[in-house]
Amino acid sequence: MITKNITPSVYYTGVDDHTTPLFESLWPLPYGVTYNSYIVKGEATALIDTAELNSYEAYLSNLLNHGIDAPEYLIINHMEPDHSGCIPLLCERFPKMKIVGNRLTVGMIKGYYHIEDDTRYLVVKDGDTLDLGAGRVLSFHTIPMVHWPETMVTWLESEGVLFSGDAFGTFGTTDGNPIDEHLPGIDVFMSEMHRYYACIVAKYADQVQRALTKLADKEIKYICSTHGPVWHKHVAEVIATYNALSTYKVEPGVVIAYGSMYGNTTEMAQLLAERLEAAGITVKLHNMSNTNLSFVLADIWRYNGLIIGAPTYNGAVFPPVAALLSALEGRGLRNHVAAAFGSFTWAGAACKKIAEALAGLSLDMPAAPVEMKMSMNPATRAALIEMADTLVPAILAE
Ligand code: FEO
């Protein structure tokens, strides 16, 4: 069943994007992405968030098809251009429409879109309300850094609808059928939620926790995020998922992320994988040269074990693995059992630098790093087996 009516006063006006290859020009979109936006109708009408600029025609068409010709308000929960991109064109189209946002939001609109006329804005603070009439009252609640400083959520108490911005969002299009209980393949969206979180939100885990605490007293019936399905049937599950992700509640298992130019470091990674799998541990083996970083990050935020290995390259870590280390440092990875291995031909550097990077994140590192010269030999084999055997109880202890 296809329905875009979320509740009697809330209507979905989002757009499916099947053509953009990389979200934020970084993250692959094998299932596409949506830019979700909504209408709330009381006696007055409010639009909530817009869409990416290239989707303007489709977005406007959705509004016009719903009879929107003079909305009173445009509420901006989040200013990243995938949601704010249509603000200027929409303001031209609806010259009497007020833009509703907090002080930081208004500063960003002026900075990005140069809408300087202050009479266009209705500036709100944390906890302020906006009465649309007919019993529809919206309230605004700031959730800074989930995922920009200005971000807020909008709450419609009368129907239990939370307009959550990026929070609880996920990659994947809904193809005109936005509500979760009508969508096939919900497992893909849940899996993509891990990848979305690990790539985009993970740095702000503490702020996500603060946001969840702030929203805990609300009886949420619908979560209208800016990406992916409208959550209704799965509200409790997605809140639990966000709680688990932002508190690093990871499952037992190991990601082995490695680089290798000629197969020698691959041999080290495979030996570790075989030994750990033989001990009954789930292993995700990722060659960083041919796996997009986003899928590796998603697995790292799912499992509690992390082993990283690379050859030495220009006196440093092989670049695809160095990119992973940088991504982990940027996100402040926590609560993992970690280990390092590496290889070299004439002067070792990678193994030491990987171990230092992991130690810099204050991860639990019970096993000694293993460094190999040129190719596999009995001493390296024995050291890797010892590494795996040392990690097993630490991983299974979760
Ligand atoms: Fe979907 Fe942070 O924008």
Side-chain angles (χ1 to χ4, degrees):
M1 179 174 79
I2 289 185
T3 177
K4 295 184 180 180
N5 272 96
I6 312 300
T7 66
S9 65
V10 177
Y11 191 82
Y12 177 83
T13 53
V15 177
D16 296 301
D17 180 351
H18 290 278
T19 56
T20 297
L22 297 173
F23 189 75
E24 295 183 338
S25 294
L26 284 171
W27 316 114
L29 294 169
Y31 309 103
V33 67
T34 65
Y35 313 114
N36 294 344
S37 52
Y38 304 90
I39 300 168
V40 184
K41 281 190 171 177
E43 289 161 1
T45 295
L47 313 181
I48 299 191
D49 292 316
T50 71
E52 202 270 339
L53 178 58
N54 289 340
S55 301
Y56 177 69
E57 292 303 326
Y59 170 58
L60 181 65
S61 173
N62 287 345
L63 295 180
L64 298 178
N65 287 341
H66 200 65
I68 299 296
D69 54 9
E72 281 81 0
Y73 302 105
L74 169 62
I75 294 163
I76 299 298
N77 281 329
H78 180 29
M79 272 301 295
E80 192 164 6
D82 52 332
H83 309 295
S84 68
C86 295
I87 290 175
L89 291 173
L90 215 56
C91 284
E92 276 180 34
R93 178 86 187 199
F94 303 125
K96 293 186 177 167
M97 179 181 71
K98 291 270 191 192
I99 305 171
V100 182
N102 58 55
R103 182 179 54 82
L104 294 176
T105 312
V106 172
M108 289 184 183
I109 294 174
K110 290 182 177 180
Y112 273 107
Y113 305 120
H114 311 290
I115 300 172
E116 300 293 343
D117 177 2
D118 284 323
T119 66
R120 296 241 35 177
Y121 295 104
L122 176 61
V123 181
V124 296
K125 299 187 300 300
D126 187 36
D128 279 359
T129 59
L130 176 64
D131 190 345
L132 299 179
R136 311 300 189 227
V137 178
L138 299 171
S139 60
F140 309 106
H141 307 272
T142 54
I143 55 165
M145 303 315 299
V146 187
H147 111 259
W148 277 17
E150 87 302 353
T151 309
M152 63 183 195
V153 298
T154 298
W155 171 242
L156 177 62
E157 171 82 24
S158 56
E159 292 169 34
V161 182
L162 180 71
F163 301 95
S164 66
D166 282 347
F168 313 110
T170 174
F171 298 127
T173 59
T174 53
D175 300 317
N177 198 11
I179 305 177
D180 60 358
E181 65 253 44
H182 305 311
L183 278 168
I186 205 73
D187 288 350
V188 171
F189 290 106
M190 296 307 293
S191 169
E192 287 288 90
M193 181 179 283
H194 274 79
R195 193 166 69 92
Y196 182 93
Y197 178 92
C199 294
I200 293 159
V201 187
K203 177 177 175 61
Y204 307 110
D206 294 339
Q207 290 88 342
V208 170
Q209 275 295 298
R210 280 198 277 280
L212 291 173
T213 301
K214 192 168 188 173
L215 300 171
D217 65 342
K218 307 210 176 304
E219 283 189 36
I220 300 171
K221 298 189 177 106
Y222 292 88
I223 295 176
C224 293
S225 155
T226 46
H227 297 292
V230 169
W231 302 112
H232 180 220
K233 182 178 176 184
H234 297 277
V235 163
E237 186 180 350
V238 301
I239 292 174
T241 298
Y242 251 63
N243 191 40
L245 285 164
S246 55
T247 53
Y248 287 88
K249 284 197 175 66
V250 275
E251 344 173 351
V254 175
V255 174
I256 302 176
Y258 71 98
S260 185
M261 285 179 280
Y262 299 105
N264 293 298
T265 319
T266 299
E267 200 175 335
M268 299 176 80
Q270 286 174 336
L271 192 155
L272 286 166
E274 286 165 14
R275 188 79 178 180
L276 290 162
E277 280 171 347
I281 290 178
T282 300
V283 175
K284 299 289 179 179
L285 190 63
H286 288 299
N287 182 334
M288 296 308 301
S289 292
N290 56 30
T291 309
N292 181 272
L293 180 61
S294 67
F295 298 99
V296 183
L297 292 174
D299 276 343
I300 291 172
W301 259 260
R302 185 180 290 276
Y303 297 106
N304 67 339
L306 174 61
I307 309 175
I308 299 181
T312 299
Y313 193 92
N314 285 341
V317 178
F318 185 57
V321 178
L324 171 62
L325 293 173
S326 171
L328 297 177
E329 184 185 13
R331 287 161 179 75
L333 181 72
R334 297 174 222 168
N335 196 32
H336 278 66
V337 177
F341 65 96
S343 64
F344 68 101
T345 299
W346 67 95
C351 183
K352 182 167 177 279
K353 288 180 184 293
I354 294 167
E356 286 171 352
L358 295 173
L361 292 165
S362 301
L363 305 181
D364 179 20
M365 298 181 67
V370 177
E371 188 173 43
M372 178 178 79
K373 185 169 184 178
M374 297 187 198
S375 66
M376 189 61 74
N377 55 61
T380 299
R381 183 180 299 278
L384 288 168
I385 287 171
E386 186 179 343
M387 171 185 278
D389 292 350
T390 303
L391 293 174
V392 168
I395 290 159
L396 295 179
E398 286 282 329

